[in-house]
Amino acid sequence: MEKSTFKVKVGLAEMLKGGVIMDVVNVEQARIAEDAGAAAVMALERVPAQIRKDGGVARASDPEMIQAIQAAVNIPVMAKCRIGHFMEARILEALEVDFIDESEVLTPADEDFHIDKGAFKTPFVCGCTNLGEALRRIGEGAAMLRTKGEAGTGNIVEGVRHLRQLRSEIRKITQMGHEELMTEAKRLAAPYHLVEQIAETGRLPVPNFAAGGIASPADAALCMALGAEAVFVGSGIFLSADPAKRARAVVEGTTYWEDPARLAKVSTGLGAAMAGLEMATLGDADRMAKRGW
Amino acid sequence: MRVGVLSLQGGYAAHSALLAGIGHEPVDVRTASALAGVDGLVLPGGESSTMLKLIGFSDLHDPLDAFVRAGRPVLATCAGLILAARRVTGPEQASFGWLDVDVARNAWGRQIESFEASADEGGLPLVFIRAPRLTRVGPGVTAVAHYEGEVVAVRQGPIVGASFHPELAGDATLHRLAFGDPGAP
């Protein structure tokens, strides 16, 4: 018997495909998420929009709230640590969370180095904005990726940009001759063997989900249509007028993204979405997607 | 064979790729009309509670039940096995009861306990992800594979069930057992 192999780590990501992973800040929200059909929950103390509003340093959550959520639901429970903060990650591993998100939503702890994720038993998910960043994280051992989007804005524009960027860069590699791949690996600052692998398969070696700015069933469906294999919803559900209803609608919108009539039905009468932010109002320092490299 | 893969949530993509690789024609099933066009069905892994909810949201319960009870071939893995079982514990949860077995959900532990191994019979690779355990196997059910003496795959007529993930190991033994072997495409 061999535990915590890369296959077993990626295996859990495979089992989350077509699903919605919802940010929850307490047991009550976790139960609402599970009842609405969430495939997993992300336990954290404040959703990204609240972190944005409060300012200050955002750290990993109190183990007590993570454990309370683990006890309350049967679906997988994920939790976030700061970029590079391998000690927060060790604590989350000791809590036996099912996935650790090395997340730009929290304040980075290391501006040079991401966590050596292959050294952990728990699988990791990391954010990416382009193919080079995606392959660097896989090189470090991430078993799942998510495009970053711009968390806590309720605005899908950055998520769309990152999904399109990834897809376009993957397509280009599949058109290249073998002799072009080393130069491309240099340009991307990505491990050569992973670039070679993409040239061969036309896809990332681990599942890629979408995150950042998803606030409606239509946003979730748009991400799926652009190649995301599942979606993370942070602030979009529990900062809306009717979280239970919107949560279920986003779940259905993710599964039935190819069926516009069904999307029209689930988008009906959801009440107010979260207010959201226009990107032009954000300075560079406010952009979480720029954290990490 | 046109084999439907219940694609509401979970490990449907890996099953479809494996089925195509051995010459079957996989079809995503998210609606009753898609189900009406297939001859066999895979119930993949994933989150069984999530799948149950989506089956309810989509009025798929009765069409699925009729499809399986008509005696068509079915392969149910991990969460799919939980849906197919007679009784589910850890916690108790509704199920279709097609297979005369009882299962306990997440009975090996959280993700950190997930593991790879080989079946006692030799050869067959086993990938367990937050896997269920078979706690009772009915008299009409045949054990197909064991791990450390414990039953991990079963067959009851046209229904094959496994607590592990053959699709993640890329092993088509159970797919061939359920749907036959059409030869390489």
Side-chain angles (χ1 to χ4, degrees), chain B residues 68-154:
Chain B
V68 178
R69 292 198 190 276
R72 294 189 181 88
V74 172
L75 173 60
T77 61
C78 196
L81 176 73
I82 296 171
L83 297 185
R86 179 134 310 161
R87 193 163 158 260
V88 179
T89 55
E92 290 199 11
Q93 179 173 290
S95 58
F96 284 95
W98 301 317
L99 259 178
D100 187 19
V101 299
D102 296 345
V103 298
R105 292 176 62 193
N106 301 337
W108 300 93
R110 299 184 191 279
Q111 172 63 14
I112 204 161
E113 304 296 333
S114 292
F115 65 99
E116 287 186 68
S118 291
D120 295 349
E121 286 80 0
L124 189 67
L126 310 175
V127 180
F128 292 94
I129 311 283
R130 287 170 43 94
R133 279 177 120 139
L134 286 151
T135 52
R136 184 189 65 85
V137 176
V141 180
T142 312
V144 172
H146 297 78
Y147 172 66
E148 293 189 336
E150 182 173 329
V151 179
V152 292
V154 294

Side-chain angles (χ1 to χ4, degrees), chain A residues 14 106 109 152 171 221:
Chain A
E14 288 283 333
L106 305 182
R171 268 200 209 120

Side-chain angles (χ1 to χ4, degrees), chain A residues 23-25 42-61 80-82 103-108 150-153 234-235 239 274 277 285-286 288 291:
Chain A
D23 279 5
V24 296
V25 302
M42 177 76 70
L44 74 177
E45 273 166 5
R46 294 174 291 170
V47 293
Q50 195 63 45
I51 291 172
R52 233 175 234 298
K53 205 171 140 195
D54 294 351
V57 173
R59 308 179 181 87
S61 297
K80 291 180 190 289
C81 70
R82 287 179 262 179
S103 178
E104 70 282 1
V105 165
L106 305 182
T107 310
E150 192 53 47
T153 63
S235 320
L239 294 183
M274 69 175 282
L277 288 171
D286 302 321
M288 291 173 173
R291 296 167 169 179

Side-chain angles (χ1 to χ4, degrees), chain A residues 158-234:
Chain A
E158 294 301 309
V160 167
R161 189 191 318 282
H162 302 154
L163 283 167
R164 283 198 181 277
Q165 176 76 19
L166 260 190
R167 200 160 72 158
S168 156
E169 287 182 300
I170 289 171
R171 268 200 209 120
K172 275 181 202 147
I173 287 180
T174 63
Q175 301 302 312
M176 288 178 180
H178 194 257
E179 75 281 6
E180 295 175 74
L181 297 181
M182 186 60 85
T183 303
E184 183 65 3
K186 181 185 172 197
R187 187 188 74 80
L188 293 171
Y192 178 62
H193 73 282
L194 294 177
V195 174
E196 262 190 319
Q197 205 175 321
I198 286 176
E200 214 168 283
T201 63
R203 50 179 303 125
L204 288 167
V206 306
N208 179 49
F209 298 178
I214 295 163
S216 69
D219 288 346
L222 177 64
C223 292
M224 295 296 283
L226 291 173
E229 294 172 296
V231 301
F232 284 83
V233 186

